[in-house]
Amino acid sequence: MKKPSIKMLFEKNKSEPQFVEKSNVKDIELKKQDISSSYDKNLATFKSIFSVPKNTDVKVREFTIRALNRRAFIIFISTMVEVERIQESIVKPLLENELSTGEIRDIVSYPIEKTATVIGEITEFITGGMTALFIDGDIQSHLFETTNLTGRSIEKSDNEVIVKGAKEAFNERVIDNIALLRKKIKNENLIVDSQVISKRSRNDVFLVYQKDLANDEILQTIKDKLTSIDIDRILDLSILEQYLEERPRSLFPTILYTERPDRAASFIEEGHIVILMSNSPSCLILPTTFWSLMHSPEDHYLRAPYGNFIRLLRLFAFLVAVFASAFYIAITNYHVGMIPPDLLMAFAGTRERVPFPSVIEIFMMEIAFELIREAGLRVPTPIGPTIGIVGALILGQAAVQANIISPIVIIVIALSGLSSFIISDLSINFAIRMTRLLFICSAGLLGVYGLIALCMVFLFYLVSLNSFGTPYLAPMTPHFLSSKDLIIRHLPIKERFRPGYLKPKDMVKQRKE
């Protein structure tokens, strides 16, 4: 028997449609229709959609409205609502009220959120925690906001720890997160604009901004980006961030991720746009620059001299974390003449019995340090710090005694690793750690010349980055009118302007006396 050729198989597969969704075609068409005025048809439709009684947490309650003398039923998801409140404020008045009125609002002692007629829209509201009321003869459903999702209380921030300043952090309840922002910005111009993304999960996304500050063009760009996302599910802001980025493969992040409401509120007051999402204990700040990622909220809580000292120390730590290991390789392998004679003799004495070149030493210890760091994060909290300290001590001491690693390499790696911990933002921290490995390779190949060449490449690359139309290194390059809050923070009384690269509707935030 003759076997089919690859060309024949390709033509066959090409002619047959692939990945055609057949499982819920009927449901998709049904959800586009309006509800019926027939009580029995509506009851059967929604029992079928929610697989009642197979779906045990979906409850349907049938009764007769005494005041209207008409049959009705409510449907809700019991794990997402307050059942007792539904019974007391919705069902009981409908059963006991005998006043002859045609308005549900006059009978039910519970605020009606809205009415809807499309089956798919009503389904989305029910799965979001609302209770739907259907009355025999009505062509619309009454919807009640009965959502009561359990979650964590407002706690301290775990990842962005500061000594001075607010201690509150976002949690998984988006209502609480919005309330935290409202508490800090008591302004009628603060807009909370909701949008639903993903076809199956139907997650709620909230755009928070000040309408008299935020640039309309940037805002529309973000909305268009959210609308263009066509996917079944996005469960967390960390995943949504990857869909919003213009260059998702870039080493350097272009979106700021934070779990601190005070930090988010300060960016909103500057003209930025904040994205919140249900079930995510954080927010995204758009657009973002390199300097925003390098700053900490504590820089502004401290007095200007103290805040500037910490900021300069952080910038120095950034340079040490990126260049320390690579610079050590460059001068010990290619530019020995740069080292003073006494220090050179000390280096030579420590490396006398080490069999590996300095590049291999550095790579071995960098990988070991990363393993210890990740192990300390992943294991349970009580033993995490212990593993980090004991692992580093034992591994470093054993490697030196076995003449595998020289003591100076341990010092360089420890200094580089400690410096990276000062950078609080997780994304830029990862960028530093990965960039450091690239600089180590360049230094091993070409010494200081390789360092300078790769540094120039990275500068060109950073200049080419944009965050929703905003240059990544602004306002340093290109230059914009702003408060110049870059490396040195000025006194609060001197910060008169908002960032010019955002093109806010109101540039001046502090008038002259």
Side-chain angles (χ1 to χ4, degrees):
M1 183 177 178
K2 185 179 180 181
K3 294 183 179 180
S5 65
I6 295 178
K7 186 176 180 180
M8 292 173 61
L9 290 173
F10 177 77
E11 292 295 333
K12 181 180 179 182
N13 290 334
K14 188 176 179 181
S15 62
E16 295 179 359
Q18 299 292 320
F19 309 112
V20 177
E21 186 176 8
K22 299 179 180 179
S23 59
N24 61 346
V25 173
K26 292 183 179 179
D27 287 344
I28 292 174
E29 293 299 323
L30 177 63
K31 290 176 182 178
K32 295 179 181 178
Q33 301 175 12
D34 292 338
I35 62 173
S36 171
S37 59
S38 170
Y39 172 88
D40 295 324
K41 186 175 180 180
N42 289 333
L43 182 62
T45 297
F46 282 89
K47 278 188 174 182
S48 173
I49 290 174
F50 286 98
S51 303
V52 178
K54 184 178 180 180
N55 216 347
T56 54
D57 67 337
V58 179
K59 306 299 182 183
V60 177
R61 171 75 187 274
E62 299 183 61
F63 53 90
T64 299
I65 301 177
R66 183 172 296 183
L68 303 179
N69 194 24
R70 292 156 69 183
R71 292 186 300 168
F73 73 90
I74 59 172
I75 181 169
F76 57 88
I77 301 176
S78 60
T79 51
M80 300 180 70
V81 301
E82 291 185 72
V83 179
E84 294 81 6
R85 197 172 179 187
I86 293 174
Q87 177 64 29
E88 290 296 323
S89 302
I90 300 176
V91 177
K92 191 175 180 180
L94 291 173
L95 288 174
E96 297 178 355
N97 196 323
E98 297 183 355
L99 296 175
S100 179
T101 175
E103 293 293 333
I104 296 297
R105 299 176 186 273
D106 298 334
I107 302 174
V108 177
S109 59
Y110 198 98
I112 297 178
E113 180 73 14
K114 60 187 71 178
T115 58
T117 59
V118 181
I119 293 175
E121 186 179 350
I122 298 170
T123 303
E124 290 182 12
F125 286 125
I126 295 172
T127 54
M130 298 183 75
T131 298
L133 169 66
F134 297 86
I135 304 173
D136 188 14
D138 278 5
I139 57 172
Q140 65 180 6
S141 171
H142 301 278
L143 298 161
F144 304 90
E145 181 60 67
T146 54
T147 308
N148 182 35
L149 299 176
T150 57
R152 290 187 302 140
S153 59
I154 298 172
E155 301 172 354
K156 290 183 179 181
S157 172
D158 292 330
N159 299 320
E160 298 174 80
V161 181
I162 62 173
V163 178
K164 193 174 183 180
K167 301 297 188 292
E168 295 172 329
F170 290 128
N171 61 19
E172 285 77 10
R173 289 170 55 91
V174 72
I175 298 175
D176 291 344
N177 297 341
I178 295 172
L180 286 172
L181 292 177
R182 288 277 187 190
K183 185 175 71 171
K184 296 182 182 300
I185 306 176
K186 300 180 178 70
N187 193 320
E188 70 280 2
N189 292 313
L190 184 66
I191 304 298
V192 181
D193 191 358
S194 64
Q195 190 169 339
V196 177
I197 60 170
S198 68
K199 294 184 291 186
R200 290 185 180 272
S201 299
R202 292 196 291 268
N203 303 104
D204 294 318
V205 171
F206 298 87
L207 289 156
V208 187
Y209 58 93
Q210 289 220 43
K211 67 178 182 181
D212 59 339
L213 292 180
N215 182 270
D216 292 332
E217 186 177 347
I218 296 176
L219 179 62
Q220 190 59 47
T221 301
I222 296 172
K223 288 183 177 181
D224 293 342
K225 191 78 172 179
L226 287 170
T227 306
S228 66
I229 297 174
D230 185 15
I231 192 172
D232 282 354
R233 66 184 181 93
I234 296 177
L235 299 181
D236 192 81
L237 270 178
S238 302
I239 302 173
L240 178 62
E241 177 185 2
Q242 300 174 56
Y243 282 93
L244 292 176
E245 284 185 311
E246 296 178 10
R247 295 189 184 181
R249 292 185 178 87
S250 172
L251 279 182
F252 288 85
T254 54
I255 296 177
L256 178 58
Y257 180 96
T258 181
E259 59 184 20
R260 297 189 59 86
D262 57 333
R263 194 178 187 188
S266 67
F267 276 101
I268 292 174
E269 293 281 12
E270 297 287 349
H272 291 260
I273 293 126
V274 166
I275 295 182
L276 297 170
M277 185 174 175
S278 54
N279 304 315
S280 293
S282 55
C283 74
L284 299 179
I285 297 173
L286 312 172
T288 299
T289 64
F290 174 79
W291 307 106
S292 302
L293 295 163
M294 289 296 296
H295 294 169
S296 168
E298 198 168 26
D299 296 347
H300 290 268
Y301 288 129
L302 296 172
R303 294 180 64 244
Y306 311 152
N308 287 329
F309 171 74
I310 296 297
R311 187 172 286 186
L312 289 173
L313 187 64
R314 190 181 304 116
L315 182 61
F316 174 75
F318 169 78
L319 297 175
V320 170
V322 173
F323 294 108
S325 300
F327 188 71
Y328 169 77
I329 293 172
I331 61 173
T332 54
N333 283 9
Y334 295 93
H335 311 281
V336 182
M338 296 174 62
I339 309 174
D342 293 339
L343 185 59
L344 179 60
M345 294 297 294
F347 282 6
T350 58
R351 301 198 69 255
E352 184 178 0
R353 301 179 61 184
V354 176
F356 303 110
S358 57
V359 179
I360 302 299
E361 283 186 274
I362 291 290
F363 263 117
M364 288 172 60
M365 291 310 299
E366 285 284 358
I367 293 172
F369 190 89
E370 293 296 332
L371 289 173
I372 293 171
R373 171 187 281 189
E374 290 301 314
L377 289 174
R378 309 304 169 198
V379 298
T381 304
I383 62 174
T386 307
I387 285 181
I389 296 170
V390 175
L393 288 174
I394 292 176
L395 184 64
Q397 184 67 25
V400 171
Q401 289 183 350
N403 294 321
I404 298 174
I405 303 296
S406 60
I408 188 64
V409 169
I410 300 294
I411 296 173
V412 171
I413 295 298
L415 185 62
S416 178
L418 287 174
S419 298
S420 67
F421 284 118
I422 299 179
I423 312 299
S424 59
D425 187 82
L426 181 64
S427 297
I428 200 70
N429 196 289
F430 270 109
I432 291 171
R433 290 156 64 182
M434 296 174 70
T435 303
R436 181 168 60 212
L437 298 177
L438 296 177
F439 276 104
I440 290 172
C441 294
S442 67
L445 291 173
L446 298 172
V448 172
Y449 300 107
L451 279 178
I452 296 173
L454 187 59
C455 186
M456 292 180 65
V457 169
F458 267 103
L459 285 176
F460 289 142
Y461 178 69
L462 291 176
V463 170
S464 70
L465 288 178
N466 284 286
S467 176
F468 294 90
T470 301
Y472 198 54
L473 293 182
M476 177 176 284
T477 174
H479 178 73
F480 287 92
L481 180 66
S482 68
S483 295
K484 300 177 182 178
D485 185 15
L486 298 177
I487 299 174
I488 298 295
R489 179 177 73 86
H490 293 282
L491 295 172
I493 198 171
K494 298 291 185 180
E495 296 180 358
R496 295 187 54 236
F497 301 104
R498 293 185 172 86
Y501 54 82
L502 294 174
K503 300 177 183 176
K505 296 177 181 177
D506 183 9
M507 271 292 298
V508 181
K509 65 178 180 181
Q510 185 175 191
R511 311 292 175 183
K512 284 186 177 181
E513 293 183 357

